[in-house]
Amino acid sequence: MASFALPVWLALQEELLGPGGAAPNSFDDFDDDALFQMFHLTRPCIAFITDAVCIRMKTVTVDPPALSVDAAVMVALNYYAHGISSADVLQRLGSSQADFPGIICTVSAVIAGMADQFISFPLLRDARTNVANSIKRVCGIPNVLGVLAPAHFKIRASPYEKETFRSFVNSLGYTSVVSQFICDSDGNILSVEKCCVGSTFEQELWDSSFKGREMEEELHGPYCVIGGNGYRLTNHVLTPVSEPANYHENRFNEAHAKIHNVMRTTLGSMKRRFRCLMQLGFAKECSLDKKANVIKACSVLHNIAKKFSVAPPPVAGKVEPLHPGKQPSGPVTVNREAFEARRELIYRHFSIYCKVKAPLDEDA
């Protein structure tokens, strides 16, 4: 679990490195400023990541990289930070540009495989209570386990393959792949699933995801996640009121928007630190696994960077908004039980007249 990652690493570090301490590695030639410029991470954070990859590679079967593990991690971190492999890294390692895609693919698969250790949804009662209490302190909405949103990542798709190209075009008109993210009130990623073509509805992502099925089957108890307008209101996905009719519903929508905005900040932070996510290269429907590994690897590294309190690079230009969501074209059936539960929540927590009941509105 992410909350225990640092102590676990410190306990394993001596066993991994031996009594002599840290061995020399490829990062030693950079001073701290150059290190952050090249990798958008600090030295202790990079040392942690390198050692974690070393440990992981001893327990899984992967094609060995053409370079040492620390050099392979350098190649991957440089690519994540800038979306390209810099000439400086190439020169330092004395390697060929042609070797880098395979190295990045291998390291991404290894780091993505560490997701169970560093990306953890609250499973125990105390963990759920802590997450829900933190969210309530931010926005006043109780019993929420996280903020749910689709995350779109731009890709290039060949317009000559018209059918394939069309499937990648999202509702904003550009080609992308989309993954499902859940984060907590501090911007820690609690879940990342799927890697689908950009035209995929977020409701479809939720319905087919492990976390969506677990939540809707109440495996996580009577909790919900905060979702935007692209999701259906259910007992476990709390959406805003589409047409607020009174002061109380407006207050609820403001609280909903406040906590939902945490996801925008989180994804913006990720994309500033890992600029490869701004453009993931060419993709076909049959090659989404490699994109999924890069997305998940960057999610793991995001949580590790937060553990080490490493700030992302500063904002340059306009912050990318959350994707507005793809609305279904046909009528949507209202979940009456969920609608009533949301109405009760609004009047219990966002009304100065907590005991006053308003007539049941037909608007969901």
Side-chain angles (χ1 to χ4, degrees):
M1 298 176 74
S3 56
F4 298 109
L6 187 55
V8 167
W9 176 72
L10 293 173
L12 290 175
Q13 188 179 29
E14 184 174 351
E15 178 182 346
L16 177 70
L17 300 177
N25 65 58
S26 300
F27 296 97
D28 291 343
D29 292 338
F30 293 93
D31 63 34
D32 289 348
D33 289 340
L35 205 68
F36 188 83
Q37 183 179 356
M38 292 294 291
F39 309 106
H40 296 166
L41 298 165
T42 58
R43 193 176 304 278
C45 186
I46 290 172
F48 177 88
I49 293 163
T50 303
D51 292 340
V53 171
C54 284
I55 294 170
R56 177 72 181 176
M57 291 187 76
K58 291 180 178 180
T59 63
V60 298
T61 303
V62 295
D63 293 332
L67 303 171
S68 64
V69 173
D70 59 289
V73 170
M74 175 184 286
V75 170
L77 293 184
N78 180 236
Y79 165 73
Y80 299 149
H82 298 282
I84 58 172
S85 299
S86 71
D88 187 20
V89 167
L90 184 70
Q91 183 178 359
R92 285 172 183 267
L93 298 179
S95 187
S96 166
Q97 187 81 35
D99 295 332
F100 281 16
I103 293 169
I104 293 165
C105 184
T106 297
V107 175
S108 295
V110 170
I111 297 176
M114 293 154 50
D116 288 346
Q117 295 172 273
F118 297 100
I119 300 176
S120 54
F121 199 75
L123 299 178
L124 302 178
R125 183 176 63 182
D126 287 350
R128 290 170 180 164
T129 300
N130 289 339
V131 171
N133 285 345
S134 294
I135 289 175
K136 187 177 181 181
R137 282 195 293 270
V138 171
C139 66
I141 303 175
N143 300 323
V144 176
L145 285 186
V147 183
L148 168 71
H152 283 260
F153 304 99
K154 292 180 181 179
I155 55 95
R156 296 185 180 94
S158 173
Y160 298 106
E161 300 176 17
K162 292 184 179 180
E163 291 305 314
T164 300
F165 178 84
R166 191 175 294 115
S167 69
F168 283 105
V169 178
N170 62 35
S171 59
L172 292 183
Y174 64 85
T175 51
S176 69
V177 294
V178 58
S179 294
Q180 175 181 284
F181 276 69
I182 301 175
C183 74
D184 67 11
S185 60
D186 294 319
N188 297 295
I189 296 169
L190 304 178
S191 173
V192 55
E193 286 190 61
K194 319 287 284 186
C195 182
C196 301
V197 295
S199 63
T200 308
F201 286 86
E202 46 263 60
Q203 185 64 46
E204 182 182 339
L205 289 175
W206 177 248
D207 290 341
S208 62
S209 69
F210 291 113
K211 205 56 64 189
R213 291 196 293 269
E214 288 173 2
M215 290 290 293
E216 299 298 348
E217 292 171 7
E218 298 203 343
L219 298 183
H220 296 282
Y223 291 95
C224 65
V225 291
I226 293 290
N229 286 319
Y231 295 95
R232 290 195 300 267
L233 174 67
T234 71
N235 290 333
H236 299 285
V237 178
L238 187 60
T239 61
V241 178
S242 59
E243 295 181 12
N246 53 50
Y247 168 75
H248 322 305
E249 291 178 348
N250 277 313
R251 281 191 66 204
F252 168 75
N253 276 6
E254 289 170 3
H256 188 287
K258 183 176 183 180
I259 190 63
H260 198 249
N261 192 53
V262 172
M263 180 64 83
R264 179 190 68 85
T265 303
T266 299
L267 294 176
S269 173
M270 275 187 65
K271 289 181 179 182
R272 293 202 311 277
R273 189 187 306 279
F274 307 117
R275 291 177 185 162
C276 67
L277 298 177
M278 300 294 289
Q279 176 52 259
L280 280 174
F282 281 95
K284 296 183 178 180
E285 289 191 56
C286 61
S287 67
L288 294 182
D289 286 349
K290 292 180 180 178
K291 306 300 181 192
N293 279 343
V294 171
I295 293 167
K296 187 167 283 189
C298 290
S299 302
V300 167
L301 297 176
H302 167 84
N303 280 359
I304 292 174
K306 286 185 68 64
K307 276 293 169 193
F308 282 84
S309 301
V310 184
V315 176
K318 187 173 68 174
V319 177
E320 182 178 345
L322 277 180
H323 197 273
K326 186 173 181 180
Q327 302 296 321
S329 55
V332 176
T333 303
V334 175
N335 183 323
R336 304 304 298 178
E337 180 183 357
F339 178 84
E340 176 67 19
R342 184 180 67 182
R343 189 193 72 158
E344 188 72 25
L345 181 152
I346 290 172
Y347 277 88
R348 181 178 294 274
H349 295 278
F350 294 92
S351 170
I352 57 175
Y353 309 107
C354 297
K355 296 182 180 180
V356 176
K357 307 295 183 186
L360 186 62
D361 195 324
E362 293 300 318
D363 173 37

